[in-house]
C-alpha cells in the first residue's frame, strides 16, 4: 500500500509520460500539416490537419505546465518504517472490515493473538473463562431487549476492562521474572492484588451471563401454547378425522375411491 511520498512520485511519472506523449503527437501533426498544406494547397483537409496540430500543441503545453507545477511542490517526507507499517496495517484492517464477515474475523484474530500473549501466565485461565462467557453472551445479546437492554452495554464495557486487566497481570508477571530480588516483593503484592481483581471480575461476568440466560428463558416462558404447535396439532386432528371418514365410507361402499 503506497504512502504519500510514493503516490507523489507516481503522479510525477504519469504527468511526465503524458507531457512527452502529447509532445510527440503535436510534433507529428504539426509536421504533417507543415508538409501537406503547401503540397496540396489550402483546403478543408488542411484545416483538419492544422486544427489537430494546434490542439495537440496546446494540450502538450498544458501537460508540461502541470508537470512543472507538481515538480515545484516539495516531495512528502519518507515515513518511518514503524509508522509505514502501522499505516499499512490500518489500511489492511479497514479493507478487511468492509468484508461481510470481516469484523468477526478481526475480532477472532485479536482474541487468538491475546491468548498466545498470555500463554504461561496465571491470567491465561481467566482469559479462557472470559472467552467462553463472552461467546455465550454473544448468543444472548439480541434477545436482551426492554428492561435488559442496558445490560448489553455494561457487559461490553466489563469485557474490555477485564481483558485489559488480564494483560496487566501478565505484564507484571513477566516483569517479576527479570526484576532484581529486592524489587520483587512490591511486584508480587501488586500481582496478587490484580489477580484477585481479575478472578472476582471474571466470576461477576459469568454471573451476569447466567442472569442474562435466565432472563431470556423467563421472557419466552408462557402458559399460552406456541402458535406453530397449535397449528400442527389442528392439522394432525384434521387428518385423523379425514382418515376415519374415508375408512367408514370404504366400509359401507367397497367401490368408493378417492380421487
Amino acid at each position: 500500500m503506497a504512502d504519500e511520498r510514493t503516490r507523489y512520485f507516481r503522479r510525477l511519472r504519469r504527468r511526465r509520460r503524458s507531457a512527452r506523449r502529447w509532445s510527440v503527437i503535436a510534433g507529428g501533426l504539426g509536421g504533417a500539416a507543415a508538409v501537406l498544406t503547401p503540397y496540396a494547397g489550402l483546403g478543408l483537409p488542411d484545416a483538419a490537419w492544422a486544427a489537430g496540430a494546434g490542439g495537440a500543441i496546446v494540450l502538450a503545453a498544458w501537460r508540461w505546465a502541470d508537470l512543472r507545477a507538481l515538480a515545484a511542490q516539495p516531495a512528502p517526507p519518507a515515513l518511518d518504517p514503524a509508522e509505514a507499517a502501522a499505516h499499512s496495517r490500518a489500511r489492511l484492517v479497514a479493507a478487511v472490515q468492509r468484508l461481510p464477515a470481516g469484523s468477526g474475523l478481526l475480532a477472532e484474530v485479536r482474541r487468538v493473538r491475546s491468548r498466545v500473549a498470555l500463554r504461561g501466565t496465571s491470567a491465561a485461565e481467566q482469559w479462557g473463562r472470559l472467552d467462553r462467557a463472552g461467546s455465550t453472551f454473544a448468543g444472548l445479546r439480541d434477545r436482551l431487549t426492554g428492561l435488559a437492554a442496558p445490560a448489553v452495554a455494561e457487559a461490553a464495557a466489563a469485557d474490555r476492562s477485564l481483558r485489559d486487566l488480564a494483560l496487566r497481570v501478565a505484564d507484571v508477571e513477566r516483569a517479576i521474572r527479570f526484576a532484581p530480588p529486592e524489587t520483587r516483593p512490591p511486584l508480587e503484592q501488586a500481582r496478587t492484588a490484580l489477580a484477585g481483581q481479575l478472578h472476582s471480575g471474571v466470576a461477576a461476568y459469568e454471573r451476569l451471563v447466567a442472569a442474562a440466560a435466565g432472563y431470556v428463558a423467563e421472557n419466552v416462558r408462557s402458559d399460552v401454547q406456541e402458535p406453530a404447535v397449535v397449528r400442527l396439532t389442528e392439522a394432525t386432528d384434521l387428518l385423523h378425522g379425514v382418515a376415519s371418514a374415508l375408512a367408514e365410507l370404504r366400509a359401507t361402499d367397497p367401490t368408493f375411491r378417492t380421487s
Side-chain angles (χ1 to χ4, degrees), residues 28-117:
L29 291 177
V35 171
L36 294 177
T37 300
Y39 178 77
L42 294 176
L44 187 60
D46 303 308
W49 282 108
I57 292 172
V58 171
L59 282 174
W62 282 348
R63 293 295 184 266
W64 283 110
D66 292 341
L67 175 62
R68 286 193 295 270
L70 182 60
Q73 299 176 7
L79 289 178
D80 181 74
E83 185 179 354
H87 181 69
S88 299
R89 184 165 55 250
R91 294 192 61 180
L92 179 61
V93 168
V96 173
Q97 284 179 335
R98 288 193 291 268
L99 298 175
S103 298
L105 178 62
L106 288 175
E108 184 62 25
V109 169
R110 293 191 185 103
R111 189 176 296 113
V112 172
R113 184 176 60 186
S114 300
R115 189 184 300 119
V116 171

Side-chain angles (χ1 to χ4, degrees), residues 5 7-9 11 40 43 88 118 153 160 178 187 224 236 259:
R5 184 179 177 87
R7 283 196 291 268
Y8 169 81
F9 286 108
R11 290 197 302 269
S88 299
L118 294 174
R160 291 191 298 268
F178 305 102
L187 291 176
V224 179
T236 302
S259 57

Side-chain angles (χ1 to χ4, degrees), residues 221-237:
R221 284 181 59 185
S222 175
D223 294 334
V224 179
Q225 198 172 10
E226 181 68 23
V229 177
V230 173
R231 290 194 297 270
L232 287 175
T233 303
E234 292 176 351
T236 302
D237 294 340

